[in-house]
Amino acid sequence: MTVLHSAPRITSNDGVLDALSSTLGNLLVSGREEHGEIVLTIKREGIEDALRLLRDEHEYQQMMEIAGVDFPQRAERFEVVYMLLSLTRNHRILVKVSTDENTPVPTITTLWPNAGWLEREVFDLYGVKFAGNTDLRRILTDYGFEGHPFRKDFPLTGYVELRYSEDEKRVVYEPVELAQDLRQFDFLSPWEGADYVLPGDEKAATPPVNEPKTTESPKQTGAGAKTDEKAEEKVSAGSPAEEDTAIDNDAPEPTEDRPDRPEREGGAKDTPAATEPEDGKDDA
């Protein structure tokens, strides 16, 4: 039995960008197709109206996710990205707005109630404010947390750490104390080399000696006839060993100078004959 479904398995982007751009009109800042997806940049103050048009007129019924992105080098450093899904068309699009640390973005909780939790997450991690959200509180970090962890200028180790104190019987905050400093690893190719000078490499930048020092004459080495004469005067001149050591004339002669001893005359018998008993006698 063949089952037919209104949504295609693979949806093409052909004509989608032109149709959405025509509907959004002046609300649209830019639109492009990137990495196989339609990306729309909307004016910040018109984000609620733009998303309402996309939901009602182009059947993007579900708002799947809200994410934040931080670009510190920009004047409006934050981007809020809305990910929409059309169930009837089996198609996804990305909608973006830009803002800074102080300018709030209009809330879209009037369109999708689940946006309240997602806007709180972006507020908690990036510090982006949403005008009209009646419950804009931190949702992932702990009570009393300072700063926004997903900002690029947030320190990697944080400022304080949380632990339970057995002495005070409560949860306490303390300054972060690291057993060792945070290490920065360099994953550049060893064939290309780093852009900065590594410790110890500053010695390699020392220019070589243009004229190496040589010893072409005895004067440069300190050698010569006068030096040899001074060396002879100092060798064993009046040393204690020569003055105090006496020669012992009563010392024994070396053993190698003594005459050999004469051979002994004895009646030693061969071993077997000496150990065998005589005839007629038993061993004792």
Side-chain angles (χ1 to χ4, degrees):
M1 179 179 178
T2 303
V3 178
L4 300 178
H5 198 279
S6 58
R9 293 183 178 180
I10 301 176
T11 304
S12 173
N13 291 330
D14 295 341
V16 176
L17 181 59
D18 294 336
L20 299 181
S21 301
S22 177
T23 300
L24 295 174
N26 295 331
L27 299 175
L28 182 65
V29 176
S30 64
R32 66 185 185 278
E33 182 177 349
E34 186 175 359
H35 304 295
E37 292 185 339
I38 301 298
V39 181
L40 304 174
T41 302
I42 306 297
K43 294 180 179 179
R44 180 176 55 252
E45 60 275 6
I47 184 61
E48 183 181 2
D49 296 334
L51 294 180
R52 180 179 287 106
L53 291 173
L54 294 174
R55 184 193 65 177
D56 298 343
E57 297 188 14
H58 292 274
E59 300 178 347
Y60 288 95
Q61 301 96 341
Q62 291 191 359
M63 194 276 302
M64 304 300 297
E65 183 63 87
I66 301 177
V69 188
D70 184 16
F71 299 95
Q73 68 276 11
R74 298 182 183 178
E76 294 186 347
R77 61 182 294 183
F78 300 113
E79 280 188 354
V80 181
V81 184
Y82 303 86
M83 306 173 191
L84 304 184
L85 170 65
S86 174
L87 297 176
T88 54
R89 299 185 180 186
N90 191 20
H91 193 262
R92 295 174 181 266
I93 60 173
L94 300 180
V95 182
K96 297 182 178 182
V97 295
S98 299
T99 186
D100 53 23
E101 301 179 12
N102 300 319
T103 307
V105 177
T107 183
I108 61 169
T109 52
T110 56
L111 304 176
W112 291 282
N114 66 317
W117 290 76
L118 301 175
E119 288 177 354
R120 287 178 58 183
E121 181 179 348
V122 176
F123 165 74
D124 190 2
L125 300 180
Y126 292 93
V128 177
K129 301 175 183 178
F130 292 89
N133 190 318
T134 58
D135 191 20
L136 196 61
R137 296 176 293 136
R138 291 184 180 269
I139 191 173
L140 295 178
T141 56
D142 202 355
Y143 300 103
F145 189 88
E146 296 181 1
H148 304 281
F150 277 14
R151 289 189 179 185
K152 295 294 180 64
D153 52 3
F154 189 82
L156 297 180
T157 60
Y159 297 107
V160 295
E161 58 185 354
L162 180 68
R163 71 175 183 87
Y164 181 78
S165 174
E166 290 290 346
D167 297 334
E168 301 182 18
K169 301 299 180 182
R170 65 182 183 88
V171 176
V172 296
Y173 282 92
E174 294 179 345
V176 174
E177 295 182 1
L178 300 179
Q180 67 177 23
D181 293 337
L182 183 67
R183 294 179 292 176
Q184 299 290 347
F185 295 95
D186 187 3
F187 297 100
L188 293 177
S189 171
W191 300 104
E192 298 175 357
D195 297 334
Y196 51 87
V197 179
L198 296 175
D201 286 355
E202 66 276 1
K203 301 177 182 178
T206 304
V209 179
N210 296 329
E211 297 181 359
K213 185 177 181 180
T214 59
T215 54
E216 298 177 356
S217 64
K219 294 181 179 180
Q220 295 177 344
T221 61
K226 294 182 179 180
T227 305
D228 296 340
E229 293 178 0
K230 293 181 179 180
E232 292 178 359
E233 295 175 357
K234 295 180 180 180
V235 173
S236 299
S239 60
E242 293 182 351
E243 297 178 355
D244 300 337
T245 302
I247 298 176
D248 187 3
N249 297 324
D250 298 333
E253 296 180 358
T255 56
E256 59 268 14
D257 296 338
R258 295 178 182 178
D260 296 336
R261 293 180 179 179
E263 296 183 359
R264 288 184 177 183
E265 295 180 0
K269 297 181 180 181
D270 294 339
T271 302
T275 57
E276 293 179 358
E278 297 180 1
D279 295 341
K281 296 182 178 181
D282 296 336
D283 295 339

